[in-house]
């Protein structure tokens, strides 16, 4: 099936993602921030879908929007909102922040300019139907070792978190 | 234009995959209406079945045998005053029921009622269903938090912890079923809902009975986790009536509350259809192997029509038994008319082209209905788990069991 | 009687309960949640208000606020004659009205120094034991409902209905029966009373098995009740807790055996005792008590004597100056009446020792450190009736 109104959807989703991203840092209420972050993540998932990467989109929804953000909310809900409202939202480090933002922006521009040569003009065409299989082949074939290392790292992180949080096990 | 419409009737693809927008739209409308009717019917059935389990009659007043009770309830909810607590967070309070309903209905995009009867066939079907239905917990959490009240907050806390932990066991069970789909010549599995059923068709077995008892255990894990995911008894802690009055939707009333109700039941249907698709052979008729051949195909294809005729017969019998008092005239005529509609559907289901095209939907719905009956049965039988016990079951029983089944399935898949 | 007085309150070791588990302070240390449970709450069995202090789901402490159903019954008694006050006691523990009446009539009879005739005593035993069954059935239904099993409620109500029918036939009322009079019973049994009670016994015995089938070995039920709301025998005695709660903790103390009243000395029955004093044991004790009640009724029906049903009591009662304490084993525990007479037609003071009120004291001790769901289970297992708590 041919894509419909691709341009419109791209700009719509991008605007949604960016706008809710801005809301995340400007809302005083932490729960509102978290909800905006969820919208932003969902927008990203939809963008992945437009890139013919449905598996990544699905995982994004399950893990980030459905899992991690629920835990975020779980924590934030317990925090007293009144107290958070009174606190200073921005600290006085705007100089450092500006420098960091400029550096990041410069990096983006650099990648964009140089990247034209690095990446092929039209990205690798991955048929949508076998997208999941392709991901599997890459993860469990070409990059198996890296993948396993990452999972081991996560396991260590989990155990470390448990050890730190629980005084006696 | 007409060709465009009729061409699909002969295709063997879903409208979404075939790129037929008209039929995709028709299917969306049909599924939406069908779901609404199913939720209304479930409302009535749950009350009736539960009542008969508990030696009482259930709704009897509105319409014959209380058949119109759900409609009366829906009307009442619609015209009730819409109350929003003054201390509530208006935006979040407003959007929570919407989110819950939207996610509950969206998952039906990929539910395969038959090889051609789904809005679309997605490459990541199961993943999509699990992901979108996991979003509904956000709505529950938002509702509980936005109400700015203690009982809803506790309900929200419970539900978020519960859903996140049971999703893991559920995911492991799903993976072991997906693993079974890869047992073909190419060795590639699929996440597509239709693909999964077709894999069961190709392997001539429902995955619940594959690698006995591994498939059955995986199915059991999923069946437990899906009850927990939908907050139903015995895992109905987020809305535990005797503890938290009504849990996360304590402060909701009228139409907003009915949205939660709608979402709960359609979520139940949604997870049941995942279970049916993954383990109970989806749209396939029972015993495709033991009772195969032309004759059996014919016999089983007559079952849908016969079922509707039986229902019609029961309705006509009840019509005849209605009190003869003039007060009941309208009700008697109504019940008779309802029976006539059922009989007409039954007769229509005997017409061969209709029969062939629709019997998949019947078998799928029948399996889902069985699962829904189990939900009601649980509710009538089991006490409620306590929060820590619920977590214990999720993390210490289902999760290790799920991992074990997954590993064993993988080993069995290599060996056999 | 002795072992109740010899234990000094201050020596009771309560630290095991009161010392809360040190909960780990994390960076998420949120405010403690104060939750008002009741007076309008589906699981507080009336208008009990429990203020819960919670840390997440864990209960740090509770406070019972009572009095929402206070009607001043004890004060009313001072302005009524002895006979006029009799119907009021039915309104205290309204699910076991017959037991209330028995206790009050027994107390006044002791004060007047009269004794009800044998036949009246037997009728009293039969009706009181039927009432115990009804009370326990109501308890079972609501307790199971609180824990989430909704079906037993309807079963128990169906069977309780049969008892209420017998009451209705006997005295015209179903709930607030006012079945007994001072000095005996005012009604002779109706025709076929024995037959109907016998029929009821045959009907209800398998029903009790049916309840047990649903719950006793149900995994979730066992998990929800085992080791929940534990209370030791010493703690029970220190708090004055009586009835099935005390017996489930292992104390074989039943006033029907310890100081028999009415005709209980004539019957052969056992006192079911638990071991652990947890909610499950209390459930088992009460289920066995129902069976023992059936036994008592069966024997009573078998050898009910003929004769008068009223002792000779003056129309206007003027008990001699003095005071009396008389207690019976009500379904919920020791129900006592302390009556002071100044020699006039009205009591000078009536004080009721309600089992629900005394047992409710144990709530806080039983739920500290437990979870919210346990509070519900414990309120259910204490089997309180707010009419009796508040009087």
């Amino acid at each position: 099936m041919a894509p419909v109104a691709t341009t419109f959807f791209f700009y719509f989703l991008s605007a949604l993602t960016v706008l809710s991203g801005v809301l995340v840092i400007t809302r005083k209420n932490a729960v509102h921030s978290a909800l905006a972050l969820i919208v932003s993540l969902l927008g990203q998932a939809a963008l992945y879908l437009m890139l013919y990467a449905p598996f990544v989109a699905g995982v994004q929804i399950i893990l980030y929007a459905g899992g991690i953000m629920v835990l975020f909310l779980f924590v934030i809900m317990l925090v007293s909102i009144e107290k958070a409202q009174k606190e200073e939202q921005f600290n006085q480090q705007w100089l450092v922040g500006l420098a960091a933002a400029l550096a990041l922006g410069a990096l983006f521009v650099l990648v964009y300019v140089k990247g034209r040569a690095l990446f092929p003009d039209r990205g690798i065409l991955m048929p949508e139907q076998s997208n999941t299989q392709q991901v599997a082949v890459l993860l469990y074939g070409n990059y198996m070792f890296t993948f396993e290392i990452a999972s081991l790292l996560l396991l260590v992180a989990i155990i470390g978190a448990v050890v730190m949080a629980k005084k006696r096990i | 234009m007409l060709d465009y419409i009729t061409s699909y009737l002969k295709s063997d693809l879903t409208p979404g995959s075939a790129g037929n927008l008209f039929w995709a739209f028709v299917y969306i409308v049909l599924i939406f209406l069908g779901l609404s009717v199913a939720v209304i019917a479930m409302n009535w059935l749950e009350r009736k079945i539960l009542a008969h389990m508990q030696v009482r009659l259930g709704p009897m007043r509105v319409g014959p045998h209380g058949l119109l009770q759900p409609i009366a309830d829906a009307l009442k909810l619609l015209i009730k005053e819409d109350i929003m607590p003054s201390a509530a967070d208006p935006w979040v309070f407003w959007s929570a029921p919407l989110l819950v309903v939207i996610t509950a209905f969206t998952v039906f995009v990929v539910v395969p009622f038959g090889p051609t009867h789904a809005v679309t066939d997605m490459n990541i079907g199961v993943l999509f269903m699990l992901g979108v239905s996991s979003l509904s917990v956000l709505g529950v959490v938002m509702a509980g938090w936005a109400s700015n009240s203690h009982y809803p907050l506790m309900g929200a806390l419970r539900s978020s912890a519960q859903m996140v932990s049971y999703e893991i066991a559920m995911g492991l069970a799903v993976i072991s079923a997906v693993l079974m789909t890869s047992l073909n010549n190419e060795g590639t599995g699929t996440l597509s809902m239709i693909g999964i059923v077709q894999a069961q068709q190709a392997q001539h077995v429902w995955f619940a009975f594959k690698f006995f008892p591994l498939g059955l255990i995986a199915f059991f894990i999923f069946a437990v986790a899906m009850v927990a995911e939908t907050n139903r008894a015995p895992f109905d802690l987020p809305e535990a009536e005797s503890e938290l009055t009504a849990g996360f939707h304590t402060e909701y009333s009228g139409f907003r509350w009915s949205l939660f109700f709608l979402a709960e039941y359609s979520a139940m249907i949604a997870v049941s259809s995942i279970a049916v698709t993954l383990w109970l052979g989806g749209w396939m008729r029972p015993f495709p192997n033991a009772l195969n051949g032309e004759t059996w195909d014919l016999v089983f294809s007559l079952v849908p029509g016969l079922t509707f005729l039986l229902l019609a017969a029961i309705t006509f019998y009840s019509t005849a038994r209605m009190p003869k008092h003039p007060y009941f005239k309208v009700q008697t005529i109504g019940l008779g008319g309802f029976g006539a509609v059922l009989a007409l559907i039954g007769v229509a289901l005997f017409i061969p082209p209709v029969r062939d095209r629709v019997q998949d939907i019947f078998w799928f719905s029948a399996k889902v209905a069985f699962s829904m009956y189990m939900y009601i049965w649980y509710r009538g039988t089991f006490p409620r788990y306590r929060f820590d016990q619920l977590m214990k079951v999720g993390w210490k029983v289902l999760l290790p069991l799920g991992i074990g089944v997954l590993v064993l399935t993988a080993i069995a898949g290599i060996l056999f | 009687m002795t072992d109740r007085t010899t234990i000094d309150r201050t020596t009771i070791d309560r630290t095991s309960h009161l010392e809360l588990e040190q909960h780990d302070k994390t960076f998420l240390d949120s405010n403690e949640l104060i939750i008002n449970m009741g007076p309008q709450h589906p699981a507080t069995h009336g208008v009990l208000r429990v203020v819960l202090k919670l840390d997440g789901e864990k209960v740090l402490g509770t406070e019972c606020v009572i009095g929402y159903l206070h009607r001043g019954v004890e004060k009313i008694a001072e302005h009524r004659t002895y006979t006029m006050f009799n119907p009021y006691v039915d309104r205290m523990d309204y699910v076991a009205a017959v037991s209330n009446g028995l206790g009050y009539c027994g107390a006044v009879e002791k004060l007047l120094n009269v004794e009800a005739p044998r036949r009246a005593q037997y009728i009293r035993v039969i009706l009181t034991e039927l009432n115990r069954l009804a009370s326990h059935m109501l308890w079972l239904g609501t307790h199971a409902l609180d824990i989430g099993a909704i079906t037993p409620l309807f079963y128990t109500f169906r069977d309780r209905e049969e008892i209420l029918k017998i009451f209705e036939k006997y005295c015209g009322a179903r709930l607030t029966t006012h079945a007994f009079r001072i000095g005996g019973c005012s009604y002779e049994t109706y025709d076929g009373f024995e037959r109907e009670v016998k029929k009821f016994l045959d009907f209800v015995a398998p029903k009790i098995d049916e309840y047990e089938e649903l719950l006793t070995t149900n995994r979730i039920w066992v998990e929800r009740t085992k080791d929940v709301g534990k209370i030791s025998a010493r703690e029970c005695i220190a708090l004055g807790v009586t009835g099935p709660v005390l017996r489930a903790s292992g104390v074989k103390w039943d006033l029907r055996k310890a100081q028999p009243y009415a005709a209980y000395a004539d019957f052969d029955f056992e006192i079911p005792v638990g071991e652990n004093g947890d909610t499950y044991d209390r459930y088992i004790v009460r289920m066995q008590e129902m069976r023992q009640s059936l036994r008592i009724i069966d024997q009573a029906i078998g050898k009910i004597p003929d004769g008068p049903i009223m002792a000779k009591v003056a129309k206007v009662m003027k008990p001699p100056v003095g005071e009396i304490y008389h207690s019976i084993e009500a379904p919920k525990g020791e129900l006592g009446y302390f009556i002071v007479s100044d020699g006039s037609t009205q009591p000078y003071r009536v004080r009721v020792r309600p089992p629900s009120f005394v047992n409710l004291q144990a709530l806080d001790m039983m739920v500290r450190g437990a979870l919210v769901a346990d509070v519900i289970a414990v309120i259910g297992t204490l089997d309180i009736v707010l009419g009796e708590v508040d009087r």
Side-chain angles (χ1 to χ4, degrees):
Chain A
M1 182 179 170
V4 185
T6 318
T7 335
F8 165 74
F9 277 117
F10 173 74
Y11 283 112
F12 172 71
L13 290 170
S14 310
L16 189 75
T17 312
V18 171
L19 265 181
S20 43
V22 170
L23 283 180
V24 173
I25 50 169
T26 51
R27 291 289 89 195
K28 275 210 165 190
N29 191 327
V31 174
H32 290 177
S33 288
L35 292 176
L37 186 55
I38 290 167
V39 175
S40 178
L41 290 171
L42 288 179
Q44 265 183 40
L47 282 174
Y48 287 140
L49 215 52
M50 292 193 67
L51 289 170
Y52 294 101
F55 182 77
V56 184
V59 169
Q60 166 98 354
I61 292 177
I62 286 194
L63 284 187
Y64 283 93
I68 294 176
M69 286 317 294
V70 171
L71 292 180
F72 260 55
L73 274 177
F74 187 94
V75 171
I76 293 171
M77 276 194 306
L78 294 170
V79 176
S80 165
I81 294 296
E82 285 81 23
K83 220 182 271 173
Q85 296 267 348
K86 285 189 202 101
E87 265 165 26
E88 193 86 13
Q89 197 174 8
F90 298 100
N91 55 20
Q92 302 299 319
Q93 294 178 316
W94 58 272
L95 213 71
V96 184
L98 198 69
L102 279 179
L104 195 66
L107 195 68
F108 278 145
V109 172
L110 201 70
V111 166
Y112 185 71
V113 174
K114 286 263 180 191
R116 290 226 153 160
L118 284 175
F119 300 114
D121 210 17
R122 300 182 48 81
I124 312 155
L125 272 180
M126 223 179 241
E128 190 193 348
Q129 288 305 319
S130 59
N131 171 266
T132 314
Q133 284 90 329
Q134 299 284 348
V135 171
V137 166
L138 286 179
L139 276 186
Y140 292 100
N142 301 10
Y143 301 109
M144 169 124 177
F145 186 67
T146 351
F147 184 67
E148 292 298 331
I149 290 283
S151 72
L152 201 68
L153 205 65
L154 286 174
L155 186 69
V156 171
I158 292 172
I159 295 171
V162 171
V163 168
M164 284 204 281
K166 275 233 166 195
K167 272 162 206 134
R168 48 166 212 282
I169 300 165
Chain B
M1 184 68 192
L2 210 64
D3 287 349
Y4 176 69
I5 290 169
T6 49
S7 68
Y8 165 68
L9 286 176
K10 291 179 185 66
S11 97
D12 52 358
L13 282 173
T14 58
S17 316
N20 195 319
L21 276 184
F22 173 80
W23 276 99
F25 185 72
V26 169
Y27 267 91
I28 289 174
V29 171
L30 275 181
I31 287 177
F32 183 75
L33 289 180
L35 262 187
S36 308
V37 172
V39 170
I40 286 175
M42 261 305 286
N43 181 9
W44 182 80
L45 277 173
E46 173 160 27
R47 290 164 73 171
K48 276 309 232 196
I49 295 173
L50 209 55
H52 286 284
M53 283 178 181
Q54 295 171 343
V55 291
R56 57 196 173 92
L57 286 173
M60 284 298 276
R61 293 291 169 137
V62 192
H65 287 267
L67 266 174
L68 299 178
Q69 184 71 48
I71 294 164
D73 283 350
L75 274 179
K76 182 203 75 174
L77 286 169
L78 283 178
I79 57 179
K80 255 180 123 170
E81 187 191 351
D82 183 30
I83 299 168
M84 187 187 284
S86 54
D89 188 311
W91 273 99
V92 185
F93 191 85
W94 179 82
S95 52
L98 285 185
L99 182 71
V100 175
V101 165
I102 289 173
T103 54
F105 277 103
T106 308
V107 291
F108 282 92
V109 168
V110 291
V111 170
F113 294 91
T116 58
H117 303 297
V119 175
T120 186
D121 181 24
M122 258 189 222
N123 180 24
I124 51 156
V126 180
L127 207 62
F128 176 82
M129 282 199 85
L130 290 179
V132 174
S133 59
S134 76
L135 285 183
S136 72
V137 64
L138 281 175
V140 171
V141 171
M142 281 160 71
W145 177 80
S147 301
N148 203 352
S149 166
H150 282 158
Y151 286 123
L153 184 69
M154 284 187 65
L157 288 177
R158 282 180 175 191
S159 83
S160 52
Q162 174 178 337
M163 285 191 178
V164 168
S165 22
Y166 275 78
E167 230 156 54
I168 296 171
M170 202 173 186
L172 284 171
V174 167
I175 291 173
S176 71
V178 170
L179 208 59
M180 289 175 188
T181 63
S182 69
L183 298 172
N184 49 17
N185 292 334
E186 299 99 67
T188 48
T190 176
L191 287 171
S192 140
M193 299 285 274
I194 289 181
I196 289 170
V197 182
Q198 278 164 348
Q200 298 181 50
Q201 220 158 9
Q203 297 179 26
H204 302 293
V205 66
W206 289 5
F207 281 162
F209 304 111
K210 182 103 184 169
F211 298 144
F212 187 84
L214 288 180
L216 218 52
I217 297 174
F219 176 57
F220 165 78
I221 295 170
F222 189 89
V224 174
M226 83 184 189
V227 179
E229 280 281 298
T230 44
N231 294 335
R232 291 282 302 185
F235 301 107
D236 56 343
L237 292 103
E239 42 197 299
E241 192 191 335
S242 55
E243 293 159 31
L244 306 178
T245 56
F248 62 88
H249 55 58
T250 306
E251 303 289 347
Y252 281 83
S253 65
F255 187 57
R256 289 178 215 274
W257 180 84
S258 67
L259 287 182
F260 277 115
F261 183 83
L262 191 67
E264 181 182 331
Y265 280 84
S266 49
M268 278 158 67
I269 299 175
V271 285
S272 298
S273 23
I274 301 183
V276 167
T277 311
L278 260 60
W279 283 283
L280 300 183
W283 63 77
M284 283 194 283
R285 67 173 175 84
F287 312 114
N289 300 320
L291 308 174
N292 55 4
E294 290 280 307
T295 342
W296 281 112
D297 278 348
L298 185 69
V299 169
F300 274 104
S301 71
L302 293 180
V303 172
L306 287 174
T307 312
F308 271 90
L309 284 188
L310 180 72
L311 286 175
I314 294 172
T315 318
F316 285 136
Y317 176 66
S318 307
T319 313
R321 283 189 56 199
M322 283 291 278
K324 296 289 176 275
H325 192 270
Y327 178 78
F328 291 100
K329 206 170 158 191
V330 181
Q331 293 202 2
T332 314
I333 294 172
L335 194 62
F338 184 57
V341 171
L342 287 177
L344 264 179
I345 296 175
V347 171
L349 284 176
F350 283 123
I351 305 167
V354 178
R355 199 171 68 196
D356 292 344
R357 193 83 180 161
V358 169
Q359 59 163 321
D360 305 325
I361 300 180
F362 174 81
W363 289 117
F364 189 87
S365 312
K367 288 171 189 173
V368 171
F370 169 74
S371 164
M372 300 303 276
Y373 180 79
M374 296 299 286
Y375 269 112
I376 301 172
W377 199 354
Y378 298 152
R379 194 175 160 201
T381 314
F382 292 129
R384 184 181 301 115
Y385 266 112
R386 205 172 59 199
F387 188 68
D388 57 330
Q389 291 161 354
L390 175 102
M391 285 293 154
K392 209 174 74 191
V393 172
W395 289 101
K396 292 190 181 165
V397 180
L398 293 184
L399 185 65
L401 209 60
I403 294 175
V405 167
L406 181 60
V407 171
L408 286 179
T409 311
I411 292 171
I414 293 168
L415 291 183
F416 307 115
Chain C
M1 229 26 199
T2 47
D3 59 342
R4 296 212 295 175
T5 45
T6 47
I7 291 179
D8 182 14
R9 262 198 92 109
T10 51
T11 61
I12 297 293
D13 175 26
R14 292 169 62 180
T15 46
S16 61
H17 262 290
L18 288 179
E19 193 187 321
L20 299 176
E21 239 179 88
Q22 283 284 316
H23 85 274
D24 302 350
K25 292 246 180 225
T26 58
F27 71 102
L28 278 182
D29 190 32
S30 52
N31 310 341
E32 281 152 356
L33 219 55
I34 305 283
I35 280 196
N36 236 324
M37 195 184 257
Q40 304 293 334
H41 188 278
T44 53
H45 293 216
V47 283
L48 172 66
R49 176 172 158 221
V50 185
V51 182
L52 295 175
K53 199 164 127 194
L54 299 178
D55 170 33
E57 289 263 339
K58 193 185 276 176
V59 179
L60 299 179
T62 64
E63 192 183 327
C64 284
V65 183
I66 58 172
Y68 289 94
L69 204 59
H70 177 66
R71 292 150 299 176
V73 170
E74 289 172 3
K75 187 70 188 167
I76 290 172
E78 294 165 22
H79 301 278
R80 297 285 183 276
T81 63
Y82 288 94
T83 324
M84 281 162 79
F85 182 61
N86 201 352
Y88 282 89
V89 296
D90 287 352
R91 271 92 182 153
M92 285 194 299
D93 182 356
Y94 40 76
V95 299
V98 181
S99 300
N100 283 281
L102 179 66
Y104 176 70
C105 292
V108 179
E109 280 160 19
K110 244 188 194 174
L111 200 61
L112 289 166
N113 211 6
V114 294
E115 197 164 324
R118 298 274 303 154
R119 184 173 170 79
Q121 302 280 28
Y122 270 68
I123 294 174
R124 282 179 175 188
V125 166
I126 294 169
L127 290 180
T128 316
E129 289 307 314
L130 280 176
N131 203 193
R132 187 186 309 279
L133 271 172
S135 171
H136 279 1
M137 278 177 182
L138 191 99
W139 157 80
L140 178 65
T142 50
H143 183 40
L145 181 72
D146 289 347
I147 294 187
I150 47 180
T151 305
L153 180 78
F154 296 96
Y155 288 8
T156 55
F157 267 68
R158 171 192 63 191
D159 305 336
R160 179 169 168 266
E161 191 64 28
E162 300 303 317
I163 301 175
L164 297 187
K165 273 181 197 159
I166 292 175
F167 286 165
E168 190 176 12
K169 265 193 165 177
Y170 175 72
C171 58
R174 288 156 51 86
L175 203 62
T176 47
T177 46
H178 190 205
F180 307 138
R181 300 292 182 272
I182 296 162
C185 310
S186 58
Y187 307 108
E188 183 50 84
T189 56
Y190 59 87
D191 286 344
F193 174 76
E194 282 94 343
R195 200 182 60 243
E196 262 181 38
V197 172
K198 262 223 166 332
K199 216 175 95 192
F200 169 74
L201 294 183
D202 295 338
F203 160 80
V204 85
K207 301 290 180 198
I208 296 175
D209 297 337
E210 195 181 340
Y211 312 150
E212 287 226 55
E213 252 169 52
L214 261 175
L215 297 174
T216 306
T217 51
N218 185 322
R219 258 188 72 111
I220 303 179
W221 178 262
V222 174
E223 275 188 41
R224 277 302 301 275
T225 51
K226 270 252 162 82
D227 292 327
V228 168
K230 262 190 152 176
I231 188 160
S232 72
R234 288 169 73 86
E235 287 160 346
C236 277
I237 293 165
L239 287 171
V241 170
T242 50
V245 184
L246 175 69
R247 289 193 283 276
S249 301
V251 183
K252 210 166 185 166
W253 179 256
D254 189 321
L255 291 176
R256 288 176 294 178
K257 279 264 197 236
Q259 41 184 49
Y261 52 93
Y264 278 109
D266 301 357
F267 305 120
D268 176 33
F269 64 98
E270 277 150 30
I271 307 171
V273 189
E275 281 168 16
N276 305 320
D278 57 8
T279 304
Y280 186 74
D281 275 14
R282 287 188 279 274
Y283 158 75
I284 292 290
V285 163
R286 286 200 177 97
M287 294 312 282
Q288 286 173 353
E289 257 177 38
M290 284 163 82
R291 294 215 169 81
Q292 294 300 328
S293 289
L294 293 182
R295 258 179 87 186
I296 297 173
I297 300 169
D298 195 33
Q299 294 171 41
I301 282 288
K303 51 183 181 183
I304 185 166
D306 286 331
I309 51 161
M310 272 299 274
K312 277 216 173 309
V313 185
K315 277 259 151 49
V316 180
M317 278 168 224
K318 280 192 177 175
V321 180
E323 54 185 55
I324 193 80
Y325 178 76
H326 176 69
S327 59
I328 64 156
E329 187 71 28
K332 294 168 181 64
E334 178 182 343
L335 171 67
Y337 286 88
F338 178 70
I339 303 178
V340 183
S341 161
D342 56 0
S344 70
T345 55
Q346 294 168 341
Y348 179 74
R349 171 84 168 97
V350 172
R351 154 77 191 164
V352 186
R353 184 215 184 269
S356 294
F357 176 71
V358 179
N359 290 0
L360 186 59
Q361 287 182 97
L363 176 71
D364 184 62
M365 182 187 267
M366 284 157 90
V367 299
R368 269 179 196 238
L371 300 173
V372 180
D374 293 337
V375 178
I376 310 293
V378 169
I379 291 176
T381 188
L382 283 175
D383 191 15
I384 50 166
V385 163
L386 266 296
E388 194 180 48
V389 173
D390 295 342
R391 298 190 298 290

